[in-house]
Amino acid sequence: MKVLVIGGGAREHALCRSLSLDPDVTALYCAPGNAGIAEVAELHPVDALDGEAVARLATELGAELVVVGPEAPLVAGVADAVRAAGIPCFGPSGEAARLEGSKAFAKDVMAGANVPTARSYVCTTPTEIDAALDAFGAPYVVKDDGLAAGKGVVVTDDLEAARAHALACDRVVIEEFLDGPEVSLFAITDGTTVLPLQPAQDFKRALDGDEGPNTGGMGAYSPLPWADPKLVDEVMRTVLQPTVDELRRRGTPFSGLLYAGLAITSRGVRVIEFNARFGDPETQVVLARLKTPLAGLLLGSANGTLDAVPALTWHDDAAVTVVIASHNYPGTPRTGDPIDGLADVVAKDAPDAFVLHAGTRQEGDAVVSAGGRVLSVTATGKDLTQARERAYAAVGRIRLDGSQHRTDIARKAAEEA
């Protein structure tokens, strides 16, 4: 099978790494890719938001499966253009991707499917915003209705900060605060059959101890030793399958990756948000543990044949990812700094630890930073303690001027396991 992956972040590097290890994949392409992905896939330039250009590239390459990684191309309808060209595509239609593209739409779907979630108001005027903030009180949860690259959500006790964020959005969802730990659960679906993956937990705040500003994610781990063993079954029954069934009932079937961000509250599981694609950095740890070859799984989703896919198999190992971010992230990041030590990780830590590139580019013989989140250092081990040790040993070999990373990824879970 010839596979084309669209995107250029650490999520796409994780997908490409897993696909490159799949014996059924005879050729692997990525567009536009990054410096790390170039080691496992042939790179091609493309405007990832231009569905016609992506479909044309896939046709030229003879791709037999296209995997759309990021949310913006999915919401823009890139998967529709690829399917219109007669090529199987992993990823929802533009209409179904509104599940991520509009938080108000997602709330409406959840109401129709009777999915447990936070009470909320959709607001478009200052009067509505003030009424909603007053109704729920602190902590205030304010979400930009549209795509915001993981930075559209503000959770704060500061009423003025909450109001300022709400007023800066064209349309905003204000909802009750959900207590309890958060869990990310991915499921692969063809619009009817739903196959859940293993749960993970990510770390959204920039600094240790969950301090600092909200980011796209500074690390992740899997499995979750503290979680109820019946959690996945419960979420399948109350969240994932009902949502897929509701979208099919509405005439907008969802195929691809359905991501449920969950809060395990004192009143039970509640959905915080849905995404329409693999999450970053959770993908890095989930795919590191997946034993089932990836290509056939994604093709089954694209072709509507997931019911024929054998039960998924998993490595017993735990996995931990630590994100190395550039200076000033999540503000305006400094880019163009050289990255050293990548070869040392390969020489001294492989195969137990590896580096997935997020915001990098090749400049001559050097790899330099090209974004906010620069690298995802991922490691596996017999348990979270060993996986953490290996991940942080590898992080210690990498040199990027002014870079930052959290030192407490999975620490608490490892200590309590």
Side-chain angles (χ1 to χ4, degrees):
M1 191 192 317
K2 295 181 178 179
V3 182
L4 168 63
V5 176
I6 302 301
R11 163 189 43 232
E12 287 76 36
H13 194 175
L15 287 163
C16 285
R17 178 182 180 273
S18 291
L19 289 165
S20 73
L21 300 172
D22 187 332
D24 287 337
V25 176
T26 54
L28 182 59
Y29 311 103
C30 187
N34 62 38
I37 295 173
E39 297 175 9
V40 294
E42 182 179 300
L43 302 191
H44 292 266
V46 79
D47 177 354
L49 295 174
D50 185 337
E52 298 305 320
V54 170
R56 193 161 52 246
L57 175 63
T59 301
E60 290 168 1
L61 294 172
E64 294 154 291
L65 173 66
V66 174
V67 179
V68 182
E71 60 272 26
L74 290 168
V75 173
V78 168
D80 300 276
V82 172
R83 279 193 275 268
I87 303 169
C89 186
F90 179 80
S93 67
E95 186 67 21
R98 288 178 65 209
L99 202 62
E100 177 168 5
S102 168
K103 294 186 173 56
F105 175 74
K107 287 290 188 182
D108 188 59
V109 170
M110 283 189 267
N114 201 28
V115 167
T117 186
R119 292 179 299 122
S120 64
Y121 294 103
V122 179
C123 307
T124 56
T125 69
T127 302
E128 290 174 347
I129 287 167
D130 289 340
L133 292 171
D134 184 57
F136 289 129
Y140 304 101
V141 181
V142 184
K143 299 181 176 182
D144 190 334
D145 180 55
L147 293 180
K151 296 177 202 147
V153 179
V154 165
V155 181
T156 180
D157 289 321
D158 184 335
L159 176 59
E160 288 311 309
R163 191 170 189 271
H165 181 64
L167 290 170
C169 304
D170 289 334
R171 194 179 192 212
V172 67
V173 175
I174 296 174
E175 62 183 42
E176 68 175 327
F177 177 75
L178 296 174
D179 64 334
E182 295 184 13
V183 173
S184 298
L185 185 61
F186 302 159
I188 291 173
T189 178
D190 57 10
T192 302
T193 300
V194 181
L195 295 181
L197 304 185
Q198 290 287 310
Q201 186 175 62
D202 79 331
F203 294 75
K204 293 184 174 66
R205 297 285 180 174
L207 307 176
D208 283 8
D210 291 327
E211 298 290 332
N214 205 35
T215 76
M218 295 298 292
Y221 69 94
S222 180
L224 311 182
W226 50 268
D228 187 329
K230 302 188 190 73
L231 176 65
V232 173
D233 290 341
E234 180 186 350
V235 176
M236 265 293 290
R237 186 181 71 256
T238 63
V239 175
L240 298 171
Q241 192 71 57
T243 300
V244 169
D245 292 345
E246 173 69 10
L247 284 163
R248 189 176 66 253
R249 187 188 68 77
R250 291 174 177 227
T252 53
F254 186 105
S255 72
L257 195 290
L258 178 57
Y259 166 123
L262 308 164
I264 314 302
T265 79
S266 54
R267 294 172 294 146
V269 174
R270 297 288 186 273
V271 174
I272 300 168
E273 64 176 352
F274 282 128
N275 290 339
R277 39 72 197 184
F278 278 102
D280 181 345
E282 300 98 318
T283 301
Q284 290 85 303
V285 291
V286 172
L287 291 187
R289 299 186 57 226
L290 180 65
K291 189 184 290 187
T292 297
L294 185 60
L297 200 52
L298 304 186
L299 185 64
S301 165
N303 282 341
T305 56
L306 272 186
D307 59 342
V309 171
L312 303 185
T313 56
W314 297 87
H315 296 289
D316 292 333
D317 286 359
V320 171
T321 285
V322 179
V323 171
I324 297 177
S326 56
H327 177 74
N328 199 43
Y329 180 77
T332 303
R334 191 174 79 202
T335 61
D337 290 313
I339 303 167
D340 295 313
L342 296 173
D344 293 341
V345 176
V346 174
K348 297 174 182 175
D349 301 299
D352 299 318
F354 50 91
V355 179
L356 298 167
H357 292 230
T360 68
R361 68 173 182 270
Q362 195 81 33
E363 280 192 359
D365 293 333
V367 175
V368 302
S369 61
R373 291 186 293 172
V374 181
L375 303 168
S376 284
V377 180
T378 302
T380 57
K382 69 178 187 295
D383 53 26
L384 287 174
T385 297
Q386 186 177 57
R388 285 189 82 248
E389 289 169 354
R390 289 171 170 173
Y392 280 107
V395 167
R397 302 189 204 284
I398 295 170
R399 295 173 297 284
L400 171 61
D401 187 47
S403 67
Q404 55 179 313
H405 67 271
R406 284 184 58 159
T407 66
D408 63 347
I409 304 300
R411 176 194 289 156
K412 184 179 176 188
E415 289 171 350
E416 294 175 356

